[in-house]
Amino acid sequence: MNVFNEKITTRTQYMSLFRKFFGSANDSSHEEKESEFNNLQANLSAPPDEKFTFNFKKNGGKFLYCENLTEVKDQFENILEENDWFETEATCFEPKLFSMLDENKLTYKSTISPKFLLASCENLIADEGSILFSSNQIKQHKPNDLPVNIVILATTSQILESKSDGLRAIKKKYDKDYPTNITTIKYFEKAKEEDFLQYGSSAKNLYLLLLEDL
């Protein structure tokens, strides 16, 4: 893409953003647009944990806050019960999570199962409301190849402001044994209308078990 086309694309994105909040006189009331714009401003100045929660839910993610490991186990069982997953086969690539599946008598394998994926993540990205993964959690699989249903276990200390912060954290954490396939999943429900930002991405039914560790 040449510089001219990049400028056109950037301008179109900004125009779409302003149209979303201001629109035309027939789109919605002035009060509704003003409220949406105020929510955007508040989100930009919010601390990372609040910003992540807001954006993650806006993207359609299911957020479950847990104060301790007992609550994590209870909430995980609730998810299994809600979706009738007790007698299904899960996908899990991380030995540290096998005990959660064993405790619920679930079978699991390191190949893609159609029901659900249980995984951790590298970080939670506040400004996008997205989940940052690497090969340590999803091997070399692309997000679109993963099961539609995903259950993520993460901690509050993993919440970072931006994707660049997440990449720096990965570099610092792994130093020499740097993981591959670093990617994010951002969309957790099917777009209600055509969204060019979501083009080529399959929406995931994603539950986040967020454990307090700060």
Side-chain angles (χ1 to χ4, degrees), residues 71-83:
E71 289 189 4
V72 169
K73 294 178 181 180
D74 289 344
Q75 293 287 14
F76 183 55
E77 289 181 11
N78 290 338
I79 293 171
L80 296 176
E81 183 175 1
E82 176 186 334
N83 294 279

Side-chain angles (χ1 to χ4, degrees), residues 125-200:
I125 308 303
D127 65 357
E128 289 186 347
S130 63
I131 314 290
L132 182 64
F133 297 96
S134 77
S135 54
N136 288 324
Q137 295 87 40
I138 61 174
K139 300 301 182 182
Q140 299 304 320
H141 298 289
K142 297 177 181 179
N144 287 359
D145 297 331
L146 298 174
V148 171
N149 303 303
I150 299 177
V151 181
I152 298 299
L153 175 61
T155 61
T156 51
S157 62
Q158 288 179 278
I159 300 175
L160 297 176
E161 177 66 29
S162 66
K163 192 181 296 183
S164 59
D165 293 327
L167 295 175
R168 281 193 291 269
I170 290 174
K171 185 175 181 179
K172 179 179 179 181
K173 178 180 179 180
Y174 294 105
D175 191 21
K176 298 178 181 179
D177 192 18
Y178 201 73
T180 58
N181 196 27
I182 297 172
T183 187
T184 58
I185 295 180
K186 178 179 178 180
Y187 301 104
F188 312 119
E189 64 180 0
K190 187 175 177 60
K192 295 179 181 178
E193 56 186 43
E194 193 64 28
D195 182 354
F196 77 94
L197 294 174
Q198 193 170 339
Y199 181 76

Side-chain angles (χ1 to χ4, degrees), residues 56 61-64 66 71-83 85 88 90-94 97 100-101 104 106 113 115-121 124 131 133 137-138 146-154 185 188 204-210:
F56 178 75
K62 299 177 177 67
F63 179 87
L64 299 165
C66 305
E71 289 189 4
V72 169
K73 294 178 181 180
D74 289 344
Q75 293 287 14
F76 183 55
E77 289 181 11
N78 290 338
I79 293 171
L80 296 176
E81 183 175 1
E82 176 186 334
N83 294 279
W85 288 342
T88 60
T91 296
C92 186
F93 303 108
E94 302 169 81
L97 299 179
M100 290 181 64
L101 298 168
N104 290 283
L106 292 171
S113 168
K115 282 300 180 180
F116 76 97
L117 166 71
L118 175 64
S120 64
C121 65
L124 308 173
I131 314 290
F133 297 96
Q137 295 87 40
I138 61 174
L146 298 174
V148 171
N149 303 303
I150 299 177
V151 181
I152 298 299
L153 175 61
I185 295 180
F188 312 119
K204 302 297 183 182
N205 176 37
L206 192 142
Y207 294 85
L208 173 63
L209 298 170
L210 186 64

